[in-house]
Amino acid sequence: MTVYSYSAKTIQGEEISLEKFSGKVLLIVNTASKCGFTPQYKELQQLYDEYYERGFEVLGFPCNQFGGQEPGTEEDIAEFCEMNYGVTFPMFAKVDVNGENAHPLFKYLKKEAKGVLSSETIKWNFTKFLVDRNGKVVKRFASNVSPMKIKEDIEKLLGAN
């Protein structure tokens, strides 16, 4: 199994296979528009802009499971991200990341890269999963880790070009 084994609905409502991102380094993030970490969208976009040409993608998955901080519709979320942070990286439809209704991709990510004390549970918005060019989960980063602090890890994976 790899992340390419999964599909997800884009924020525009189109079901796509993550196979579309095969051969790329991915940063998969559960996002929210009304969170203290929401300004991380800016750094995520900066990383995307800086590394896209080298085969890097950020995949944003809005989630309303933490304090109801993503209450809007997909249209609201897309507009918010574009207007406030100039987001151009792929955004997906709202998903659950924990519980029995968790999206299968997030069940896989959590199993492959456990959090603190080997917990599979995602604790909050903006948990980040770094995936190599072969679709394997390499590392998990907590919400409070600035996307810019992940640059070195991204560059190592991109360097294997």
Side-chain angles (χ1 to χ4, degrees):
M1 296 286 285
T2 68
V3 297
Y4 309 137
S5 307
Y6 300 92
S7 63
K9 196 173 282 196
T10 67
I11 204 155
Q12 294 82 17
E14 176 192 356
E15 188 78 24
I16 63 165
S17 168
L18 294 189
E19 187 72 44
K20 172 182 179 177
F21 301 104
S22 180
K24 296 184 180 235
V25 172
L26 305 175
L27 189 62
I28 301 175
V29 187
N30 65 304
T31 62
S33 301
K34 299 185 182 322
C35 175
F37 295 114
T38 300
Q40 287 188 17
Y41 269 127
K42 181 179 181 193
E43 289 184 15
L44 291 169
Q45 184 63 44
Q46 288 171 333
L47 289 174
Y48 180 73
D49 290 342
E50 185 172 345
Y51 295 118
Y52 176 78
E53 294 297 324
R54 291 177 57 195
F56 175 72
E57 294 272 3
V58 175
L59 306 182
F61 285 84
C63 177
N64 195 39
Q65 286 189 292
F66 305 102
Q69 296 182 343
E70 191 59 276
T73 64
E74 271 73 17
E75 194 174 87
D76 295 336
I77 296 165
E79 189 175 309
F80 172 86
C81 291
E82 189 177 329
M83 296 287 293
N84 293 284
Y85 296 100
V87 168
T88 58
F89 56 80
M91 290 291 293
F92 290 81
K94 218 185 308 192
V95 297
D96 281 356
V97 297
N98 290 326
E100 63 182 63
N101 295 323
H103 191 284
L105 171 64
F106 279 88
K107 289 180 181 178
Y108 170 76
L109 292 170
K110 295 185 304 183
K111 188 169 63 70
E112 294 297 304
K114 293 180 175 42
V116 178
L117 303 174
S118 296
S119 169
E120 287 188 19
T121 303
I122 290 178
K123 302 280 190 243
W124 203 252
N125 303 309
F126 290 90
T127 297
K128 296 163 265 318
F129 293 90
L130 188 60
V131 177
D132 70 15
R133 292 182 186 271
N134 300 313
K136 293 289 186 192
V137 184
V138 175
K139 205 167 182 181
R140 175 179 180 157
F141 299 90
S143 303
N144 62 349
V145 174
S146 155
M148 287 302 172
K149 297 249 190 287
I150 302 173
K151 280 180 86 158
E152 193 176 308
D153 294 283
I154 293 168
E155 287 175 3
K156 276 184 202 157
L157 294 177
L158 289 172
N161 204 352

